[in-house]
Amino acid sequence: MSKPNRWEEMTWPDAGAVTETTDAVIIPVGAIEQHGPHLPLNVDTVICQAVAEEVSRVTGVPTIPPLSYGVSGSHGDFAGTIALRPETLIAVVEDVIDSLHASGVRQFILLNGHIWNNGSLDVSAEKLRVRHKDSRIRALGYVTMYPGPEVNGRVQFGRGLMHANFFETSVMLHLRPDLVRMEKATSHLDVDSFWDYRMDQVSETGVWGRDVAEADAGHGRSEFERCVRTTAEAVAAAVREPWPSSAHRPC
């Protein structure tokens, strides 16, 4: 397609008709939260929406407007963050999918841009696959479709604490350089730990990762394009995947 297939730009007859040929939808889920002194609060929403819209353009699967607020309370006392409780995000996702299901959608890709949303999205998917037995639901991150160690984030440790780092800064320099203040970029030496912590317990700046000042738009473009390509390939195959049948079961 020449442009993304945006759900909100359709008329209601369009929306009804599109589900007859493509009964799938992408639901981007981001966050509004601190991203250090050099990046805007909407990083997770900007990147996730951009990936979702490019995947939509490539595959034709519609994408809805992003759910912009996420489970961000663990950022602690840094100013600016707007956080939902995990159970609130679960309820929001349930309502959104119930509405889309009523319009004829039967395949739902919850595309996540913020790692602390994972638990809520997994719970939502479990509840909804039980409620809507004629539907398929999958929650995944926009980097899920290629191996995590290949993400060049300049972070060795920290699992979910990779944040406002070389990777995110590079991608934002590609997508929205007008929102990046590289003169304020700082780095943070990540360390290994068993526990996950609030961000304000482990970082004075809200950054987790090294070499942030070396971020560049060229690297951001290559990472963004790989996220789009691998996710689009997965989505295109997923919406054509046969439903389970007796042929899948052992004799």
Side-chain angles (χ1 to χ4, degrees):
M1 301 181 67
S2 61
K3 64 177 184 178
N5 196 3
R6 298 186 179 97
W7 187 266
E8 69 274 21
E9 295 180 354
M10 301 177 192
T11 64
W12 74 260
D14 292 339
V18 75
T19 59
E20 296 179 3
T21 57
T22 307
D23 68 342
V25 73
I26 301 166
I27 304 172
V29 187
I32 301 295
E33 60 185 32
Q34 73 81 24
H35 271 78
H38 67 296
L39 291 176
L41 300 171
N42 64 349
V43 166
D44 294 339
T45 301
V46 167
I47 297 176
C48 191
Q49 181 178 15
V51 173
E53 293 197 339
E54 277 299 290
V55 171
S56 175
R57 185 185 64 78
V58 172
T59 64
V61 175
T63 181
I64 71 166
L67 308 183
S68 295
Y69 303 122
V71 180
S72 302
S74 61
H75 280 281
D77 293 333
F78 292 106
T81 297
I82 301 174
L84 299 182
R85 290 170 295 153
E87 54 269 37
T88 302
L89 182 58
I90 292 168
V92 169
V93 171
E94 285 187 78
D95 286 352
V96 168
I97 290 183
D98 283 345
S99 297
L100 291 167
H101 185 272
S103 292
V105 179
R106 294 296 181 267
Q107 302 185 85
F108 303 90
I109 296 101
L110 291 163
L111 189 65
N112 186 23
H114 170 52
I115 194 167
W116 296 120
N117 292 338
N118 284 353
S120 295
L121 297 182
D122 286 342
V123 170
S124 298
E126 174 62 16
K127 293 182 72 175
L128 289 158
R129 72 169 57 95
V130 172
R131 180 183 306 167
H132 299 300
K133 296 181 180 179
D134 60 347
S135 298
R136 304 195 286 201
I137 302 162
R138 170 79 187 270
L140 69 155
Y142 63 77
V143 296
T144 297
M145 292 299 129
Y146 63 90
E150 293 184 11
V151 178
N152 189 355
R154 308 291 175 89
V155 174
Q156 183 176 359
F157 303 110
R159 298 173 301 282
L161 288 176
M162 184 176 77
H163 191 73
N165 61 321
F166 176 78
F167 172 87
E168 287 191 323
T169 303
S170 293
V171 175
M172 285 298 290
L173 283 170
H174 166 57
L175 293 174
R176 291 295 307 273
D178 57 306
L179 297 179
V180 182
R181 303 179 185 182
M182 285 303 293
E183 73 279 5
K184 296 183 180 293
T186 63
S187 292
H188 190 94
L189 180 63
D190 55 303
V191 296
D192 195 15
S193 67
F194 174 83
W195 305 106
D196 290 323
Y197 294 95
R198 285 171 34 147
M199 183 63 74
D200 60 355
Q201 293 176 307
V202 295
S203 174
E204 298 78 19
T205 64
V207 174
W208 188 266
R210 306 180 306 278
D211 307 327
V212 176
E214 297 178 14
D216 69 89
H219 177 69
R221 178 178 180 177
S222 66
E223 291 280 19
F224 176 77
E225 290 178 347
R226 182 162 61 157
C227 289
V228 170
R229 183 180 68 255
T230 57
T231 304
E233 289 171 351
V235 168
V239 299
R240 298 192 304 268
E241 182 177 300
W243 281 77
S245 73
S246 58
H248 295 161
R249 299 167 191 150
C251 298

